[in-house]
Amino acid sequence: MMDTIVCPMGGGATRLYSALTAPLSSSPLPPPAVTNLDPAFCQGAPVCPAELLRQCEEALRGRAPRFHRKFTQLQDGGGAPSSSIRVMQWNILAQALGEGLDSFVQCPPEALSWSRRKYLILEEILTYRPHILCLQEVDHYYDTLQPVLAGLGYSSNFCPKPWSPCLDVEGNNGPDGCALFYDESRFEFLDSVNLQLSTMRIPTNQVAVVTMLRCRSSGRCVCVAVTHLKARSGWEWLRSAQGSDLLRHLQTLVQKHAHDSAGAQTLDIPLLICGDFNAIPTEEVYRRFAASPLGLDSAYKRLSKDGSTEPEYTTWKIRPTGECCATLDYIWYSRDTLRVDAVLDMPTEEQIGPNRLPSFSYPSDHLSLVCDFSLKEEE
């Protein structure tokens, strides 16, 4: 295994129907009116996830084998499997960046085509079926991810970057941003806010979506956030400031909802914060989250033998500037109110292969993180 390094980083459904292959012109803001979807789909016909997964696999027939990853079950005791909350965090790689700006020199251009990647992305999501899905670098929200996942019972919120680098790429599909999806059969929507993260009250190009949900089975609230902090070496101070801004907003939203109907203080609201932080674990923004008075911990540390070490990598790519193998992605959770029941392991170096990511097997330069959580009992 090569050493983990800090490296220059880039900027940032009834059928999988022919409409998904039709290109869109640059999407305006506010949200565009998407008109080139299959009419049957737009009428809200119900979708069978197993059938959609089968269609993905059929479209990808003959491809290189997908990564076989297993869940590590943690001996925490507690909640029944039926009450587990499965959370997925994933930077899916914006299409415009993958084809236009990120320069993955060892990745064949054919592996970066949207006609292929969309099936791989949906296959990954459908394989793990998260109840909460947090995505970064989403530039096919309106024409693909939102309608397809809505057909599977997910509601969602999307926040585009105000000055997305995708807009500089010819033939782009609009700005990339963060998207938060949740399973409506498991959660009731309470509140949501889209944030443009600031430093010293100056807005930046990085965003977050923060959504307050109520679990339908337990009646407990959960606050979920997805973010994507500033990339590249030399911007550590800005990532730290953006992280602090997000923590402040989270504290405000939690305090707003932390009372029952009679106005009495309730149990602390559990937090789940997913993101591509573009920061290795020694950076200040990581330390800020670990030391936050919100009582946060990083779920993927639970994969290590001592329970206190992050994985060796969550991204592995080769660019003209060299090879980058680093841990930049995290799922933070409230350790006093949430229990980690299972964590999806990382593929090995051998599985990833010598040309690294993305590849014909995997659509992004970042690996998905998937964890099962359960709510601790109120005392």
Side-chain angles (χ1 to χ4, degrees), residues 165-243:
C166 293
L167 298 176
D168 297 328
V169 178
E170 186 177 357
N172 69 79
N173 197 56
D176 76 304
C178 293
L180 193 157
F181 297 82
Y182 61 92
D183 183 345
E184 289 185 294
S185 71
R186 292 292 303 270
F187 295 100
E188 174 191 357
F189 174 85
L190 295 179
D191 197 5
S192 189
V193 60
N194 286 358
L195 303 174
Q196 183 177 2
L197 299 176
S198 298
T199 175
M200 296 179 289
R201 299 188 179 182
I202 300 172
T204 70
N205 194 36
Q206 280 62 53
V207 299
V209 179
V210 183
T211 300
M212 187 70 67
L213 303 171
R214 178 181 286 122
C215 181
R216 295 187 185 276
S217 60
S218 70
R220 300 266 298 274
C221 293
V222 180
C223 183
V224 187
V226 55
T227 194
H228 188 187
L229 302 186
K230 173 66 180 174
R232 299 186 185 276
S233 300
W235 292 99
E236 292 81 2
W237 66 272
L238 182 56
R239 285 191 284 274
S240 180
Q242 291 174 337

Side-chain angles (χ1 to χ4, degrees), residues 324-341:
C324 172
C325 177
T327 295
L328 306 176
D329 308 271
Y330 306 96
I331 299 177
W332 296 92
Y333 70 100
S334 300
R335 57 178 172 264
D336 291 337
T337 50
L338 288 168
R339 177 187 298 109
V340 184
D341 297 326

Side-chain angles (χ1 to χ4, degrees), residues 250-263:
L250 288 169
Q251 193 152 16
T252 299
L253 191 64
V254 166
Q255 288 173 347
K256 173 183 173 183
H257 288 272
H259 295 82
D260 61 21
S261 57

Side-chain angles (χ1 to χ4, degrees), residues 102-353:
D102 273 352
S103 301
F104 299 111
V105 294
Q106 296 295 103
C107 181
E110 299 83 7
L112 291 171
S113 70
W114 182 241
S115 61
R116 180 179 190 83
R117 290 185 64 239
K118 68 187 176 196
Y119 292 108
L120 287 166
I121 290 169
L122 288 169
E123 181 188 49
E124 183 84 351
I125 294 168
L126 290 164
T127 295
Y128 298 114
R129 295 295 312 280
H131 303 113
I132 295 170
L133 172 62
C134 295
L135 303 177
Q136 300 85 35
E137 293 200 19
V138 176
D139 63 347
H140 276 273
Y141 176 79
Y142 295 109
D143 65 323
T144 305
L145 290 173
Q146 189 278 330
V148 172
L149 293 177
L152 297 173
Y154 288 91
S155 188
S156 59
N157 291 292
F158 173 64
C159 183
K161 293 176 183 175
W163 310 293
S164 167
C166 293
L167 298 176
D168 297 328
V169 178
E170 186 177 357
N172 69 79
N173 197 56
D176 76 304
C178 293
L180 193 157
F181 297 82
Y182 61 92
D183 183 345
E184 289 185 294
S185 71
R186 292 292 303 270
F187 295 100
E188 174 191 357
F189 174 85
L190 295 179
D191 197 5
S192 189
V193 60
N194 286 358
L195 303 174
Q196 183 177 2
L197 299 176
S198 298
T199 175
M200 296 179 289
R201 299 188 179 182
I202 300 172
T204 70
N205 194 36
Q206 280 62 53
V207 299
V209 179
V210 183
T211 300
M212 187 70 67
L213 303 171
R214 178 181 286 122
C215 181
R216 295 187 185 276
S217 60
S218 70
R220 300 266 298 274
C221 293
V222 180
C223 183
V224 187
V226 55
T227 194
H228 188 187
L229 302 186
K230 173 66 180 174
R232 299 186 185 276
S233 300
W235 292 99
E236 292 81 2
W237 66 272
L238 182 56
R239 285 191 284 274
S240 180
Q242 291 174 337
S244 296
D245 191 39
L246 177 57
L247 288 170
R248 282 193 295 271
H249 282 288
L250 288 169
Q251 193 152 16
T252 299
L253 191 64
V254 166
Q255 288 173 347
K256 173 183 173 183
H257 288 272
H259 295 82
D260 61 21
S261 57
Q265 183 76 30
T266 63
L267 185 73
D268 290 340
I269 294 176
L271 282 165
L272 288 162
I273 308 166
C274 300
D276 174 358
F277 279 61
N278 275 310
I280 60 175
T282 55
E283 267 200 39
E284 183 179 358
V285 66
Y286 182 97
R287 296 196 299 270
R288 282 187 181 273
F289 272 71
S292 165
L294 293 171
L296 303 172
D297 206 353
S298 174
Y300 259 73
K301 292 195 305 184
R302 302 300 305 274
L303 274 183
S304 64
K305 292 181 179 178
D306 63 2
S308 62
T309 307
E310 295 287 354
E312 291 184 77
Y313 49 82
T314 62
T315 183
W316 202 339
K317 68 203 87 180
I318 302 174
R319 289 197 173 114
T321 51
E323 190 161 355
C324 172
C325 177
T327 295
L328 306 176
D329 308 271
Y330 306 96
I331 299 177
W332 296 92
Y333 70 100
S334 300
R335 57 178 172 264
D336 291 337
T337 50
L338 288 168
R339 177 187 298 109
V340 184
D341 297 326
V343 181
L344 185 66
D345 67 12
M346 288 297 183
T348 64
E349 178 179 2
E350 182 180 9
Q351 286 178 295
I352 291 172

Side-chain angles (χ1 to χ4, degrees), residues 16 49-63 66 119-120 122-124 126-127:
L16 281 177
E51 171 63 13
L52 188 55
L53 178 58
R54 188 198 64 76
Q55 292 172 32
C56 288
E57 293 169 344
E58 179 67 20
L60 295 165
R61 188 170 51 179
R63 56 85 181 272
R66 60 175 280 116
Y119 292 108
L120 287 166
L122 288 169
E123 181 188 49
E124 183 84 351
L126 290 164
T127 295

